Amino acid sequence: MSTTTPPARPPAAGHPAKGPEPRAPEAGRALESASVQALFRTALVRDGRGLRLGLTAAAFMVHQLCEALVPILIGVVIDRALAPSDGPALLGWLTVLAGVFTLLSLSYQRASAAMVTVYGYGEQALRLRTMARLLDPRSLRRPPGAGEALSLVSSDTYRVAGVSWSVVQQASTVTAIVTASAVLLLISLPLGAGVIAGTVLVLLVMRRISMPLEARGLAEQSSAARAGDVATDMITGLRVVTGMNAHAEAARRYRVASQASRRGAVAAARSVLTYSCVSLLLSGLFLAALATASGYLSLDGSITIGQLVTVLGLAQYLQGSLAHVGTFASNWIHKRASARRLSDLINEPPLIGAAPGPGNGRPEESADATAPALLWHPPGHDEPVRLERGELVGVVPGRPSSARDIGDRLGYRVPLARGELLVSGVDAVDLGPERVRELIAAPPHHGVVFSGTLRSNLVPPGGDPEPAVLRATMLDDVIEDIGGDGSDVGERGRKLSGGQRQRLLMARALHTGAEVVVLDEPTTAVDPATEQRIAEGLRALPTTTLLVTTSGILLSGCDRVVDLSAETETDNAVGIDPDGVPGTAPADAPHTPSGTAPGNALDAPSGAASGAASGAASGAASVNAPHTAPDAASDTAPAADRPDRPDRPEPNGVPR
């Protein structure tokens, strides 16, 4: 077995070698459990919102007090100015009434503006907490689908944040009822007692009617989230649905989910409508009885004409307040239903458990500079995958699903056994997923291109793309083709072809600054000629890279290849037949110029190229041996002939 290894490549520009860094608190530990009451407190009092909410509630209460004073002052004007025909008194009381109207208007305007701030920041805090749980590096055992996640982040946080409006509205409503009741008690003790008794009766009856609303509200929200999930999946996979001619089945599934959502929404709407109708009926009956009683009291002289006007005015005013009192229960029940859904999400156990890390909380301080950049023990395989600093190593998975699993394990997106993955000699379990993902960039195969410019998809704001990475991934051609890196790529990158999106995602991973980059089948949508140039470009980069691929073209540029598709790994320098790798000449055969060698991948149809890739996968070999000779398809000098690799050995271990 050859032990000759190429020298480590120097760090790329803009990617300096990283030393120990302070460990950020892990998101899984930072996120606390959240009860329904805790979520309501977040919306109401966190971050100084409690004081502002109290002042806002006080302003709304002043507004309602002024509203109640209007019919009272009208009655006073009648009794003390109009009845005795007192002009100066009329002018004085009208001035008081004008002042009340001014205070009424200003208090409402200022309170409404402040309330928008309280509500907006409360909703933002809830959304941030919900998003933090969805994006927790430790993930969720039962993650919600895309549609349900959207419903949680948008409509549920909206409802829970609305509890601040409920508080101030209910406080102002209580102020209105208390003020009106006190005035009615002063005018007539039976009238005041009737208002208090009627309010209590309405609350009790409406509370009983509202009890089924919470369950129906939960059912409505859950069915809507399921319908959103189905719609999102169908739109996202529309090309696959079209290719499989599965439009009818996709439409049937969405129709079933949509009908369930419709039934839930109709049932909930009918319940709320019935509830509102009963509330209005009860308040109307009560106020009719109040107006009748006050009319009899006026006829027998127990109250004056002005007091009668005041009572009737307060009766009209109280109608809205009493109707709102009837909605208190349903209002809170719908908010509690959404809060329960958010609480269930936030309290969902993590997929990756907390690590019993060292007491100092900085396991990366024990990193060994002489240890390999990455040492992974694949489950079910005896030999580890070893990646030294500056190497480009290929890993051949057994099947496509295995490739996805490799990316998830190296990116620590699934639970790992202790000792399975070592980063610079430190166990990944001790580092935690957040720190591992800072050190290892292992994006999923089906990455997402976001709406915006190509540059914004490539580097963070203020960052500059690295020309070497752009050339290596052939992204410079894409940039030229679309008119510059400031050009818009469309929603989910729809203005780019599949191969262009893959090149963008590959370049994005290489721009992360991670110490190790793992690329999962990065060129499946790229033509062979471009793939050959990408293989040469990746070979020239100083980045420590691990390629999970079955592409013979990409594997031909690797320093070493590990074959995980076989039960027993075989040393490439010992047991591999060069004829088993299409496009590769035997070790004792003379070098054939590009374009004349039989089996040239560039001259073969795409199906043949695919077969060549499969053949290379089956012929690729193990951990410590250099890979076979470069693919004869290259129209440039082989990587081994480049000045940066003067001592790279031939496949048989003999230096050039």
Side-chain angles (χ1 to χ4, degrees), residues 58-253:
F60 273 112
M61 292 167 71
V62 168
H63 169 75
Q64 289 294 333
L65 178 62
C66 293
E67 289 270 14
L69 285 176
V70 170
I72 296 172
L73 289 174
I74 291 175
V76 171
V77 169
I78 292 173
D79 285 343
R80 298 192 180 184
L82 294 180
S85 301
D86 188 344
L90 177 62
L91 182 60
W93 283 112
L94 289 178
T95 302
V96 173
L97 188 60
V100 169
F101 268 109
T102 302
L103 182 59
L104 180 152
S105 177
L106 290 176
S107 61
Y108 182 80
Q109 291 177 7
R110 297 302 177 89
S112 296
M115 196 60 233
V116 170
T117 302
V118 173
Y119 164 77
Y121 280 104
E123 184 180 18
Q124 182 192 38
L126 290 169
R127 285 184 175 174
L128 288 175
R129 189 164 191 184
T130 305
M131 286 298 299
R133 190 66 188 96
L134 290 171
L135 300 176
D136 182 7
R138 298 193 179 277
S139 190
L140 300 163
R141 289 187 184 175
R142 292 186 299 273
E148 185 179 359
L150 178 61
S151 175
L152 287 164
V153 174
S154 55
S155 61
D156 285 315
T157 56
Y158 165 81
R159 287 193 183 100
V160 176
V163 70
S164 55
W165 281 103
S166 297
V167 167
V168 297
Q169 288 174 349
Q170 291 167 15
S172 60
T173 299
V174 170
T175 301
I177 293 174
V178 169
T179 302
S181 300
V183 172
L184 289 173
L185 283 171
L186 291 175
I187 294 175
S188 172
L189 186 60
L191 289 177
V195 169
I196 296 172
T199 302
V200 173
L201 179 63
V202 169
L203 286 173
L204 291 176
V205 173
M206 299 312 297
R207 172 60 183 167
R208 180 67 183 86
I209 296 175
S210 67
M211 291 178 66
L213 290 180
E214 182 173 11
R216 290 177 182 172
L218 277 172
E220 174 202 2
Q221 294 163 23
S222 298
S223 60
R226 284 193 295 272
D229 260 344
V230 174
T232 302
D233 290 343
M234 187 171 66
I235 295 300
T236 303
L238 187 59
R239 294 177 65 184
V240 177
V241 171
T242 302
M244 296 175 62
N245 195 24
H247 296 88
E249 175 62 17
R252 185 194 67 79
R253 293 188 180 187

Side-chain angles (χ1 to χ4, degrees), residues 121-498:
Y121 280 104
E123 184 180 18
Q124 182 192 38
L126 290 169
R127 285 184 175 174
L128 288 175
R129 189 164 191 184
T130 305
M131 286 298 299
R133 190 66 188 96
L134 290 171
L135 300 176
D136 182 7
R138 298 193 179 277
S139 190
L140 300 163
R141 289 187 184 175
R142 292 186 299 273
E148 185 179 359
L150 178 61
S151 175
L152 287 164
V153 174
S154 55
S155 61
D156 285 315
T157 56
Y158 165 81
R159 287 193 183 100
V160 176
V163 70
S164 55
W165 281 103
S166 297
V167 167
V168 297
Q169 288 174 349
Q170 291 167 15
S172 60
T173 299
V174 170
T175 301
I177 293 174
V178 169
T179 302
S181 300
V183 172
L184 289 173
L185 283 171
L186 291 175
I187 294 175
S188 172
L189 186 60
L191 289 177
V195 169
I196 296 172
T199 302
V200 173
L201 179 63
V202 169
L203 286 173
L204 291 176
V205 173
M206 299 312 297
R207 172 60 183 167
R208 180 67 183 86
I209 296 175
S210 67
M211 291 178 66
L213 290 180
E214 182 173 11
R216 290 177 182 172
L218 277 172
E220 174 202 2
Q221 294 163 23
S222 298
S223 60
R226 284 193 295 272
D229 260 344
V230 174
T232 302
D233 290 343
M234 187 171 66
I235 295 300
T236 303
L238 187 59
R239 294 177 65 184
V240 177
V241 171
T242 302
M244 296 175 62
N245 195 24
H247 296 88
E249 175 62 17
R252 185 194 67 79
R253 293 188 180 187
Y254 178 73
R255 186 162 51 250
V256 170
S258 180
Q259 288 172 351
S261 176
R262 176 181 58 81
R263 287 192 296 269
V266 169
R270 283 177 176 171
S271 298
V272 172
L273 183 60
T274 301
Y275 182 91
S276 301
C277 290
V278 173
S279 175
L280 288 172
L281 178 63
L282 289 177
S283 62
L285 291 174
F286 169 68
L287 292 173
L290 177 62
T292 302
S294 62
Y296 278 110
L297 291 175
S298 177
L299 289 175
D300 65 12
S302 298
I303 59 176
T304 65
I305 297 299
Q307 290 173 334
L308 175 61
V309 171
T310 296
V311 170
L312 294 177
L314 288 175
Q316 292 285 335
Y317 169 65
L318 280 176
Q319 185 175 4
S321 297
L322 289 175
H324 191 251
V325 166
T327 65
F328 281 4
S330 67
N331 196 305
W332 279 88
I333 283 173
H334 273 81
K335 288 173 172 50
R336 282 185 61 85
S338 290
R340 281 176 55 188
R341 282 163 49 81
L342 292 178
S343 177
D344 290 343
L345 171 71
I346 294 174
N347 296 331
E348 177 69 25
L351 175 66
I352 302 172
N360 61 7
R362 306 249 327 251
E364 63 267 29
E365 289 183 346
S366 60
D368 185 0
T370 62
L374 185 146
L375 187 66
W376 176 48
H377 295 79
H381 293 267
D382 296 332
E383 294 294 330
V385 176
R386 183 185 183 94
L387 184 62
E388 300 290 348
R389 289 170 177 80
E391 275 193 314
L392 176 64
V393 173
V395 172
V396 182
R399 54 187 182 276
S401 60
S402 300
R404 306 299 90 80
D405 181 65
I406 292 172
D408 287 340
R409 303 193 81 81
L410 295 180
Y412 206 169
R413 292 189 286 270
V414 296
L416 299 177
R418 181 171 288 280
E420 178 181 340
L421 179 63
L422 302 180
V423 184
S424 297
V426 183
D427 199 313
V429 174
D430 291 329
L431 289 170
E434 189 173 27
R435 181 60 178 151
V436 168
R437 292 171 200 173
E438 292 175 1
L439 299 172
I440 302 175
H445 175 69
H446 297 290
V448 176
V449 176
F450 303 103
S451 301
T453 64
L454 185 144
R455 186 187 185 94
S456 67
N457 272 275
L458 190 61
V459 292
D464 293 319
E466 296 184 23
V469 173
L470 299 183
R471 288 193 300 270
T473 59
M474 296 292 292
L475 193 63
D476 49 359
D477 287 358
V478 178
I479 294 174
E480 182 179 356
D481 182 59
I482 67 174
D485 61 9
S487 299
D488 186 78
V489 297
E491 183 182 0
R492 299 176 65 89
R494 297 192 185 279
K495 293 184 179 180
L496 304 177
S497 67

